[in-house]
Amino acid sequence: MTSTMGGVERAAMRGLLGRLGEGVAPAPEWEEAFWAVPRHVFLPDTVWVGDDLVVCERGADPEGWLRAAYADGPVVTQVNDGREPGGELWPSSSASAPSIVFRMLAMLDVADGDRVLEVGTGTGWNAGLLAHRLGSERVTTIEVDSALALRAAIGLKGVGLAPRVVNGDGAAGYAADAPYDRIAATCSVREVPGAWVEQTRPGGVILVPWESPWCCYGLLRLTVGTRGTAIGRFAPHSAFMLMRNQRTDLRIYRDVVRDAQVPDESGTRLSPWTVAGKDWAARFALGLLLRDVWHAWHEGPDVDGVASRLWLATTDATAWAAVDRAGEGAERFTVWQHGPRRLWDEVEAAWRWWCAGGRPGPERFGVTVASDGRQSVWLDSPHRPVPVFRGGR
């Protein structure tokens, strides 16, 4: 236990455990680790909270900072990759919500003697929980950001733990300590790196948050087989920052749409909120079916007769579409499409396929990954591959 543990911190920790409740609370071995590896020890003095990224300074607002440390929610611990913000703030590292941390640790299902590679050290808290449970010598954690890796190592030392902290590209894994019984990522991926499969022993598990350009949602749990492949299914929920080497920094007006472009006009009865609203199962499925299409909402665009607009574009910025709603109660929507692909047509085809299949949730989808990185997505069985909807004019 660290010297920073006083009555206020203990009360905050007890409060968090009480709020987690039945079905979410950590198993006894992880609760023991929670008390030995306090979350607040791993947070920097400056954090950002809420969707608006409101800055919270430990020195100026110690009570607010501690509330953030023991709320069941993510805490942003770095913005703009650690560079001095010159304008817009965007999160680049965070401490995940405790409930999802404990859920992932349960799904990882470690046993005494297991060797674990964690990809994405971040604050170091998750690595600390693993090291307390398994022993420092059995945990390796890798972080691409050298400043984050150093700060995490200092935090771990402060609670008496010394897992191997590596500054490097997590997509390559860490072959020096392989093979691993478990690989756990604390960043989302759009493709599972083949190196992770190579570095996991047969029967071992890879657990990773999932993201598509359309939707960040879901956890993928893979079991590695004897022939250099890994296979597994998704579970719902979770949203993590994307692995840095898989990022795409695209904006509609900066990178995609040009004034001289003349789109084709059509109409649709499929509501844009149906495919890009609050139905996470639909959004998750469309992300698997479309693969390289992303979207952005534009509320109140400066266009006569348009109350809101859904933009769609490909990750290579060669095609785009927009769907306009005139006002409340509208049953038909105006569609604009430009480029070599008809993106809204692809969305409608993917939606029809998903509906015809019974609107399956994330748990019915799975992935097979080869050690060379090739991967296939399937529904219910590896023998039922999921189609990719990618059409032209």
Side-chain angles (χ1 to χ4, degrees), residues 300-326:
D302 189 17
V303 179
D304 289 342
V306 178
S308 61
R309 171 174 286 174
L310 175 68
W311 287 101
L312 296 73
T314 54
T315 53
D316 65 4
T318 60
W320 60 266
V323 185
D324 291 344
R325 176 179 68 89

Side-chain angles (χ1 to χ4, degrees), residues 114-321:
D114 279 352
R115 297 178 56 81
V116 177
L117 171 66
E118 178 196 42
V119 177
T121 310
T123 66
W125 185 51
N126 194 68
L129 296 171
L130 285 164
H132 181 271
R133 166 70 178 83
L134 298 170
S136 292
E137 71 283 0
R138 296 191 172 276
V139 177
T140 301
T141 180
I142 186 167
E143 170 59 55
V144 69
D145 187 308
S146 58
L148 294 181
L150 176 60
R151 191 171 69 200
I154 293 171
L156 289 161
K157 184 178 180 180
V159 294
L161 296 169
R164 187 193 295 269
V165 180
V166 178
N167 176 211
D169 181 5
Y174 189 68
D177 287 348
Y180 303 99
D181 299 282
R182 300 288 188 269
I183 292 182
T186 61
C187 53
S188 62
V189 301
R190 294 176 177 172
E191 294 184 349
V192 177
W196 298 359
V197 180
E198 286 185 336
Q199 293 174 22
T200 304
R201 66 163 179 81
V205 169
I206 299 170
L207 181 64
V208 57
W210 186 262
E211 178 171 322
S212 69
W214 192 264
C215 175
C216 179
Y217 187 73
L219 290 167
L220 177 62
R221 189 180 192 274
L222 300 164
T223 301
V224 176
T226 58
R227 298 184 178 181
T229 61
I231 187 168
R233 292 178 181 269
F234 292 100
H237 310 305
S238 92
F240 284 73
M241 295 178 190
L242 187 63
M243 179 176 283
R244 293 192 184 186
N245 66 3
Q246 294 189 14
R247 287 176 179 171
T248 51
D249 178 20
L250 292 170
R251 309 234 179 142
I252 288 291
Y253 291 116
R254 186 191 69 189
D255 304 310
V256 183
V257 176
R258 299 290 179 261
D259 290 340
Q261 294 172 340
V262 180
D264 297 330
E265 180 181 358
S266 59
T268 184
R269 292 189 178 278
L270 177 60
S271 167
W273 287 277
T274 299
V275 296
K278 295 182 179 180
D279 188 338
W280 286 98
R283 290 175 60 181
F284 176 81
L286 262 65
L288 296 179
L289 297 167
L290 298 170
R291 303 289 172 91
D292 66 342
V293 181
W294 57 281
H295 70 273
W297 283 99
H298 190 174
E299 297 294 340
D302 189 17
V303 179
D304 289 342
V306 178
S308 61
R309 171 174 286 174
L310 175 68
W311 287 101
L312 296 73
T314 54
T315 53
D316 65 4
T318 60
W320 60 266

Side-chain angles (χ1 to χ4, degrees), residues 40 43-49 53-69 75-77 79 84-85 89 151:
H40 72 274
L43 299 186
D45 289 340
T46 300
V47 298
W48 293 261
V49 296
L53 295 180
V54 176
V55 67
C56 181
E57 298 277 359
R58 186 178 191 177
D61 184 11
E63 292 183 1
W65 184 90
L66 192 62
R67 279 198 304 272
V75 180
V76 174
T77 55
V79 295
E84 189 67 30
L89 290 180
R151 191 171 69 200

Side-chain angles (χ1 to χ4, degrees), residues 7-24:
V8 175
E9 289 83 6
R10 289 176 183 273
M13 295 172 75
R14 281 194 298 270
L16 172 60
L17 290 175
R19 290 191 300 275
L20 291 179
E22 187 177 353
V24 183

